[in-house]
Amino acid sequence: RKEVEQDPGPFNVPEGATVAFNCTYSNSASQSFFWYRQDCRKEPKLLMSVYSSGNEDGRFTAQLNRASQYISLLIRDSKLSDSATYLCVVNDGLTGGGNKLTFGTGTQLKVEL
Amino acid sequence: DAGVTQSPTHLIKTRGQQVTLRCSPKSGHDTVSWYQQALGQGPQFIFQYYEEEERQRGNFPDRFSGHQFPNYSSELNVNALLLGDSALYLCASSKLSGTVTDTQYFGPGTRLTVL
């Protein structure tokens, strides 16, 4: 079983649509959780952290369910500029500090006119 | 404020050769991590450096080695290159505060092609 699993997509949606991405992780001791966005042939960039209480940043809402080891990302009112690959990321702390990020394979989103 | 920088941006090598990739962390950061991203995959953790020491490494062979310098910059060395080493190599920097490490910020990556 992969440490972080995501549906690779692609998700093709019309502009203005709401789209949801899901992710599961296998390490119950994982410490923190993130969604990163990666544009084609570019580096990953932090989109948002994910908390059990749920958190929102404009059109983006992220949710964590520790009991189910499940992470979600909801994008409302999709824009053409949202087209990218969305990476589900889990932070496994290292002994003595430091951290190691474990990435899913990413979910590709294409927003169309 | 400069972000994470990496050099070179692109590199072409042949099987069996050795390569050195370089990374300068974001200002104020003291920890550098290296990741390998193959086409169509998410980045895979190679290792992390702090205080000039390798803290932990992922599931990569000893052909992959690194170094961190007193100014926190880092190098990734890969010996005896294989075709399967072709990938985007990403450097990420962060700040260690006590036992907690802040968010990792990624550089633009070095795209390595092995022929």
Side-chain angles (χ1 to χ4, degrees), chain A residues 17-87:
Chain A
T18 295
V19 61
F21 302 141
N22 304 315
C23 163
T24 57
Y25 62 96
S26 61
N27 182 2
S28 59
S30 295
Q31 297 183 348
S32 51
F33 309 86
F34 308 92
W35 284 100
Y36 275 72
R37 171 194 168 129
Q38 187 171 27
D39 292 290
C40 188
R41 303 183 75 81
K42 299 284 190 180
E43 73 273 23
K45 292 187 177 177
L46 179 66
L47 179 66
M48 57 198 303
S49 300
V50 189
Y51 305 109
S52 298
S53 55
N55 49 302
E56 190 173 306
D57 183 1
R59 298 180 293 108
F60 299 83
T61 301
Q63 187 76 49
L64 165 67
N65 185 323
R66 280 191 181 269
S68 303
Q69 294 179 205
Y70 173 93
I71 305 164
S72 65
L73 176 68
L74 184 75
I75 305 176
R76 291 181 300 279
D77 188 24
S78 300
K79 311 289 185 193
L80 293 175
S81 57
D82 293 334
S83 297
T85 295
Y86 290 82
L87 295 159

Side-chain angles (χ1 to χ4, degrees), chain B residues 62-80:
Chain B
D62 292 345
R63 297 187 298 109
F64 290 77
S65 63
H67 190 78
Q68 185 179 35
F69 299 95
N71 67 353
Y72 308 118
S73 67
S74 177
E75 288 182 350
L76 164 65
N77 301 293
V78 187
N79 294 323

